[in-house]
Amino acid sequence: MIRKEDVYKIGRLGKPHGVRGEITLQFSDDIFDQVDADYLILEIDGILVPFFMEEYRFRSDELALMKFEDIDSEDRARELTGCDVYFPRAHAEADEDHLTWSEIVGYQVVDAASQQPVGTIVHVDDTTLNTLFELSTPDGHDLLIPASDEMIVDVDKRQRIITMEIPDGLLDL
């Protein structure tokens, strides 16, 4: 059984394209094109199910046309419309040089000075000029901190921890 902590969300399936079973994939992470993986994981009725990719082609920087094995008609593709799409962390972690914003959701942020946990990344907001980590703190509050390269001291992919030099007073806001 595939567990939610073993995957991370990379997109969502849209409507079918044509009659051969192709379906649109709106993605936030193109890791499936960068790492050798044969399948993506779809969430169907709360269950994570692997679907093997037959082929895909990009329509834009955020949209691909995906063809899964055994999905050979528009009707079968339509059944998948709206499914969230996930990628296995194990495949992503095999690529040591590659780490995406989507992949770090769920990582813990630790303050380099105090070595204390600041919170867990629940979302990365990269819609503005300054990318922000949205954290859920241990006491249940939400916190936004800049995702600046200058502040990141270390990234431990195995333990899923990002150590950051957090400026004085930022955590008090």
Side-chain angles (χ1 to χ4, degrees):
M1 186 165 129
I2 301 170
R3 300 177 311 170
K4 203 80 166 217
E5 55 267 14
D6 295 334
V7 297
Y8 66 96
K9 185 176 175 180
I10 63 166
R12 186 176 191 89
L13 294 178
K15 61 184 180 180
H17 180 81
V19 295
R20 293 184 336 124
E22 282 185 315
I23 190 164
T24 57
L25 168 61
Q26 180 77 35
F27 60 90
S28 59
D29 187 341
D30 66 351
I31 186 80
F32 62 92
D33 189 49
Q34 299 177 21
V35 175
D36 187 27
D38 299 329
Y39 63 94
L40 295 176
I41 298 164
L42 307 184
E43 185 172 17
I44 300 175
D45 297 327
I47 299 171
L48 298 173
V49 181
F51 277 75
F52 287 87
M53 297 180 285
E54 192 171 296
E55 63 184 13
Y56 58 87
R57 63 185 193 270
F58 291 98
R59 295 293 300 262
S60 70
D61 289 343
E62 298 174 343
L63 189 71
L65 295 178
M66 183 67 61
K67 174 73 174 76
F68 293 110
E69 288 182 8
D70 300 324
I71 305 297
D72 296 323
S73 70
E74 181 181 357
D75 290 337
R76 292 271 293 138
R78 190 176 315 286
E79 294 172 7
L80 302 177
T81 296
C83 287
D84 287 334
V85 180
Y86 295 85
F87 194 80
R89 287 188 187 277
H91 288 301
E93 290 169 357
D95 183 4
E96 292 295 325
D97 298 330
H98 187 265
L99 187 65
T100 66
W101 291 134
S102 299
E103 189 178 349
I104 65 170
V105 171
Y107 274 46
Q108 184 176 46
V109 173
V110 172
D111 181 22
S114 68
Q115 292 299 308
Q116 295 298 312
V118 176
T120 302
I121 299 173
V122 294
H123 179 72
V124 178
D125 181 357
D126 62 351
T127 59
T128 62
L129 186 59
N130 296 315
T131 302
L132 299 170
F133 290 151
E134 181 180 333
L135 305 178
S136 175
T137 63
D139 59 0
H141 292 95
D142 291 333
L143 177 67
L144 294 173
I145 60 171
S148 167
D149 286 340
E150 294 81 32
M151 292 173 56
I152 297 173
V153 175
D154 183 54
V155 177
D156 185 337
K157 289 179 82 171
R158 181 175 301 269
Q159 293 186 13
R160 299 177 57 198
I161 295 174
I162 297 176
T163 305
M164 299 182 71
E165 287 182 355
I166 299 174
D168 291 336
L170 184 64
L171 299 178
D172 299 328
L173 296 176

